[in-house]
Amino acid sequence: MKRRLTANWGLKILAFFSAVLMWLVVVNIDDPVTDKTYNGISVSVINEEIVTTTNRTYQIVDNTQEVSVTVSANRSVLNKIKSEDIVAIADMKELSLGTQIPIDVSIPGFKYEKAFTTPGNLQVKIEDEAKNNFPITPTTTGTVREGYVLGELKPNPEKVTLRGPKSVIDSISRVVAEANVSGLSENADIEGKLILYDMNNNVIDQTLLANNLGKDGVSVRVTLNQIRSVPVKPDTSMITAASGCKVSAVNVEPREVRVTGEEEHLDKLDKIEIPAEDLAISDLSERTERMVDISAYLPDGVTLADENAGSVVITILIEQPGVKNYEVSTSSITVNNLADDLELVYGAVVDLEIQVRGPAEILKVFTIAKKVSIDLKDYHTPGTYLVPVTVELPEGCELVDSEEVEIILEKKTEDDQEE
């Protein structure tokens, strides 16, 4: 029995190596060595002090701060490796030609045959370091709650010190602290986002810059002002009509204006009064209009919500003998022959002033309600038009002046036409 076990050693050794070879073949068929490329791997720079201790700094150029890494390993290993497992390092000690640092790649915890990056070097630009102080300009994004407008904006701090490559520092044109005020309805300190711009209004990358803002960063103190509508009241005591005429009405358009300011100032303002001396007009025999800038009559701490809306029109209506004035709202005008595919809106005028001349006994009882109309039979296309106004008058009466009203014709939407 012993002789049988120790006989044929050559065949036994050959069988052993054959089995090992077969195992290797099977392993390589099931789990072969192959390559896989991982993109977007960030490169970390070490030993930066070699440059920074000499009052110089560096910039990574040519977009080499992210590389692709190709790994050769068994398929089962590659399936387990994730991008975050790959470590790519550029050691500043290896800087060559003043611009290139070889990139070393490793994958801790995994067994692999080789790994290399594309590109193989980190491209850098070495230059002098610079430092400068910049004023911070506050700005906002978003819209505050309805009924409020932005008041004073104040950054904290008001200046920032920036340090970095001289070429970047020199390119800075302005520094902005951007605060989001969406939905804001009270004064607040809002965290700001620091944004740097060059002279062409392009945003500057701050990756290589340091600042003195610390962990608190920059904030913007936002002051809100309320908006209120206040009536305009003219003092008409110095307006007089010519002999035989009388002042029938003094109208203001618009009747109210929107103003803004802090609550304590707005609470003291119940009207905007136009002084009598600014409306001193005598011997009027016909309708007269005067444009007045009311911004001069606003108290301290109050401004117009719309700085371009400071003018109001004062209309003085004069009744002559045998003439009566009527106010007609545009909403009460009868519209005839409006095209089916058009819709109408009126221009800026809200009320028409119509003067009718006739016997006193007729004018005394005449009512103009439902007797004012416009005819649109000749208006078939969208646009803005001045259209003659027709007034149905009793016999013996006439209009002092012909009247027109501004209308805007627009195409109906499909939904409007379906209705």
Side-chain angles (χ1 to χ4, degrees):
M1 183 69 174
K2 184 177 181 181
R3 186 175 295 171
R4 286 182 182 178
L5 291 173
T6 56
N8 300 317
W9 279 106
L11 290 174
K12 288 184 173 73
I13 292 172
L14 179 60
F16 172 76
F17 282 108
S18 296
V20 171
L21 179 61
M22 288 295 293
W23 179 81
L24 291 174
V25 170
V26 170
V27 166
N28 277 283
I29 291 175
D30 270 357
D31 193 15
V33 174
T34 185
D35 294 341
K36 184 176 179 179
T37 299
Y38 300 82
N39 297 315
I41 306 301
S42 297
V43 179
S44 300
V45 180
I46 61 174
N47 293 317
E48 297 169 292
E49 63 276 7
I50 292 175
V51 171
T52 57
T53 54
T54 58
N55 291 325
R56 294 184 301 165
T57 186
Y58 68 92
Q59 294 184 63
I60 300 173
V61 298
D62 298 336
N63 295 319
T64 55
Q65 67 270 27
E66 287 191 352
V67 295
S68 298
V69 176
T70 301
V71 182
S72 296
N74 290 106
R75 180 183 295 162
S76 60
V77 175
L78 293 177
N79 288 338
K80 297 177 182 178
I81 295 175
K82 298 178 181 178
S83 295
E84 51 266 31
D85 297 322
I86 301 174
V87 179
I89 293 176
D91 190 341
M92 195 65 79
K93 289 181 179 179
E94 304 297 324
L95 178 66
S96 62
L97 303 176
T99 61
Q100 297 182 356
I101 309 173
I103 301 173
D104 180 61
V105 62
S106 62
I107 315 172
F110 293 91
K111 183 179 180 180
Y112 57 96
E113 292 195 1
K114 61 180 180 178
F116 61 90
T117 67
T118 305
N121 295 307
L122 186 71
Q123 302 293 326
V124 297
K125 177 183 177 183
I126 307 295
E127 60 178 306
D128 291 337
E129 185 178 69
K131 181 174 70 173
N132 204 350
N133 296 320
F134 297 90
I136 299 176
T137 302
T139 186
T140 62
T141 60
T143 305
V144 299
R145 186 171 296 179
E146 187 174 354
Y148 296 87
V149 294
L150 289 172
E152 182 184 18
L153 301 176
K154 188 174 182 180
N156 181 30
E158 296 183 358
K159 292 184 178 181
V160 61
T161 301
L162 296 171
R163 187 180 71 252
K166 187 175 186 301
S167 62
V168 178
I169 296 296
D170 290 346
S171 71
I172 299 172
S173 174
R174 60 190 176 98
V175 177
V176 167
E178 185 180 85
N180 188 340
V181 298
S182 296
L184 195 65
S185 60
E186 60 183 0
N187 299 343
D189 291 298
I190 300 177
E191 181 181 354
K193 177 183 178 183
L194 196 71
I195 306 176
L196 315 181
Y197 292 94
D198 63 19
M199 62 182 302
N200 295 318
N201 213 35
N202 297 315
V203 176
I204 297 173
D205 183 8
Q206 300 180 52
T207 305
L208 298 177
L209 300 178
N211 61 56
N212 65 335
L213 296 178
K215 64 178 182 179
D216 293 331
V218 62
S219 63
V220 177
R221 177 63 178 174
V222 180
T223 302
L224 293 187
N225 291 333
Q226 290 187 351
I227 296 177
R228 292 185 187 174
S229 292
V230 180
V232 179
K233 300 292 185 181
D235 185 338
T236 63
S237 60
M238 298 181 70
I239 299 175
T240 60
S243 178
C245 301
K246 69 174 184 178
V247 178
S248 64
V250 178
N251 298 323
V252 183
E253 186 61 39
R255 296 186 178 96
E256 293 183 335
V257 294
R258 299 200 320 155
V259 296
T260 181
E262 295 184 16
E263 187 174 3
E264 61 179 304
H265 297 299
L266 293 179
D267 286 343
K268 300 174 183 178
L269 183 67
D270 58 355
K271 64 181 177 180
I272 300 172
E273 186 170 2
I274 302 176
E277 54 269 24
D278 289 349
L279 292 175
I281 312 173
S282 58
D283 294 328
L284 294 178
S285 60
E286 60 183 11
R287 168 179 164 162
T288 301
E289 289 185 353
R290 174 169 288 188
M291 185 170 289
V292 178
D293 183 359
I294 62 169
S295 57
Y297 311 129
L298 297 175
D300 292 339
V302 177
T303 58
L304 293 166
D306 181 355
E307 61 182 14
N308 297 316
S311 295
V312 299
V313 177
I314 308 296
T315 303
I316 306 166
L317 300 181
I318 302 297
E319 281 193 6
Q320 301 172 357
V323 175
K324 187 172 181 180
N325 296 334
Y326 298 89
E327 282 193 14
V328 178
S329 169
T330 52
S331 61
S332 66
I333 297 175
T334 301
V335 179
N336 298 319
N337 299 311
L338 175 61
D340 292 338
D341 62 338
L342 297 177
E343 57 185 2
L344 176 148
V345 293
Y346 288 99
V349 175
V350 176
D351 295 323
L352 297 177
E353 282 103 16
I354 296 177
Q355 291 184 314
V356 180
R357 180 183 288 112
E361 62 274 14
I362 295 178
L363 294 180
K364 186 176 181 180
V365 298
F366 173 66
T367 175
I368 204 167
K370 298 183 180 180
K371 292 182 174 63
V372 180
S373 64
I374 56 175
D375 191 345
L376 303 182
K377 65 180 180 180
D378 296 326
Y379 302 87
H380 307 296
T381 57
T384 301
Y385 305 96
L386 279 176
V387 178
V389 174
T390 300
V391 182
E392 183 183 341
L393 297 173
E395 187 174 350
C397 295
E398 64 179 359
L399 294 177
V400 175
D401 294 303
S402 59
E403 297 290 340
E404 292 180 320
V405 63
E406 182 182 73
I407 66 167
I408 303 168
L409 296 180
E410 300 174 342
K411 274 284 187 185
K412 285 185 177 179
T413 64
E414 290 184 6
D415 291 340
D416 291 334
Q417 293 183 29
E418 287 176 2
E419 291 178 4

